[in-house]
Amino acid sequence: MTPRSFLLTEQLGDYVRASSEPPDDVVRDLLAETAELGERGEAPPTFQIPPEQGALMQLLTRALGVRRAVEIGTFTGFSALCVARGLPADGSLICLDTSAEWTAIARRYWERAGVADRIEVRLGDAHETVRALPAEPVLDLAFVDADKAGYADYVDQLHPRLRTDGLVLLDNTLRSGKVLDPQDDDARAVAELNAALAADPRWETVLLPVSDGLTFLRKR
Ligand SMILES: C[S@@+](CC[C@H](N)C(=O)[O-])C[C@H]1O[C@@H](n2cnc3c(N)ncnc32)[C@H](O)[C@@H]1O
C-alpha cells in the first residue's frame, strides 16, 4: 500500500481516502504492482504519490483546463495517469524519467486506461531533457517529483516554458518534516528552495500540507 502522509494518523489517512472518489481497477492494480516492487526491494517504497494526491492532480488538471503538461519523475506512472485522465482527448503530457523499466510498467497501465496516446516518455537525465523542450510559453502544468536537489534548476527551466498563470507543482516540499532542521543534502536543498520561492517575484507561491508537502507555483 502507498505510504501515508506523515501528517496524518493511519486512521485519518483511511478516512481521507474513503471520503474521496474511490480508485478504479486500473489505479488499484497499478498501486498493487508498484507496492510489490517496493516489497521486493526493487524500488523505494515511498516513491509513488498517495492516491488522494493523484485524485487531486486529476481534478486540478481538468478544472484548470490543462491541455499541455510535463512531468519530471514518472516512475511507474501513477501521477502521470492522473494528469492524463484530466486532460482533454487531444491534450498532451510529456514524461521525463531515466528508467526504461519503470516507465514500461507505466505504459501498460496508461494503455489499459485509454490515455497512452496522450503521453510521450522522454528517457534521460531530466536536467537535459527539460532543456531540450522548446523555450516557448506553451505549458499549462508541470509536476516535479524527481531528484530533490535538482528542483531549483527544474523551476528555472520550466519558467520560460510555462504560460502566464500556468502552474508548477513541486512534490515532497516538507521532506517528512526534515525541512525544519535539514540534516541531509536533499532536505537542505528543498528547505533553501522553499525559502527562495516564498520571496521569488516570478511566482505566486503556496506550500500546502498535502501528502509530503505540495508546493503550488503560479507563473505571474
Ligand atoms: C519519486 S519517483 C516519481 C513518482 C511518480 N511521480 C509517481 O507518482 O509514481 C522519482 C522518479 O524520478 C526519476 N528521476 C530521478 N532523478 C532523475 C533525473 N535526474 N532525471 C530524470 N528522472 C529522474 C526516478 O527514475 C524516479 O522514477
Side-chain angles (χ1 to χ4, degrees):
M1 186 59 203
T2 308
R4 291 168 164 78
S5 167
F6 76 102
L7 293 161
L8 297 174
T9 61
E10 186 166 335
Q11 200 181 5
L12 263 178
D14 288 344
Y15 182 83
V16 164
R17 287 155 216 251
S19 307
S20 306
E21 195 170 274
D24 67 359
D25 285 349
V26 181
V27 168
R28 259 195 295 273
D29 291 350
L30 172 54
L31 298 182
E33 181 167 349
T34 307
E36 282 166 22
L37 282 182
E39 281 155 22
R40 292 198 302 268
E42 293 170 22
T46 56
F47 255 14
Q48 193 172 57
I49 62 164
E52 63 273 22
Q53 184 179 338
L56 170 67
M57 287 172 57
Q58 183 170 323
L59 181 155
L60 272 178
T61 303
R62 188 169 289 126
L64 295 174
V66 172
R67 303 185 67 80
R68 294 191 193 196
V70 163
E71 175 176 83
I72 301 179
T74 295
F75 187 40
T76 56
F78 175 51
S79 48
L81 172 64
C82 298
V83 171
R85 281 180 152 171
L87 291 171
D90 63 348
S92 70
L93 169 63
I94 297 174
C95 287
L96 311 182
D97 205 291
T98 49
S99 173
E101 191 187 337
W102 287 335
T103 53
I105 295 173
R107 186 152 291 284
R108 277 197 275 114
Y109 288 93
W110 299 337
E111 279 164 8
R112 259 182 74 185
V115 295
D117 60 340
R118 299 173 196 174
I119 305 177
E120 181 194 341
V121 174
R122 297 194 186 169
L123 292 177
D125 183 351
H127 294 280
E128 289 168 24
T129 47
V130 76
R131 281 174 170 74
L133 298 174
E136 292 157 17
V138 294
L139 295 176
D140 304 304
L141 176 73
F143 177 53
V144 182
D145 188 16
D147 49 313
K148 307 307 165 195
Y151 275 25
D153 180 52
Y154 293 137
V155 168
D156 285 344
Q157 291 306 317
L158 288 167
H159 186 268
R161 294 167 171 85
L162 212 71
R163 68 167 171 80
T164 300
D165 287 336
L167 202 63
V168 178
L169 301 178
L170 302 175
D171 202 33
N172 306 109
T173 46
L174 289 176
R175 302 295 301 155
S176 305
K178 291 183 199 161
V179 285
L180 289 180
D181 181 20
Q183 298 293 327
D184 61 70
D185 289 346
D186 283 353
R188 262 189 293 276
V190 171
E192 279 168 21
L193 178 64
N194 288 341
L197 288 173
D200 189 332
R202 297 175 300 169
W203 306 101
E204 183 179 2
T205 302
V206 180
L207 196 174
L208 288 181
V210 172
S211 305
D212 186 30
L214 187 63
T215 294
F216 290 61
L217 303 176
R218 182 189 67 81
K219 181 175 169 177
R220 293 190 197 273

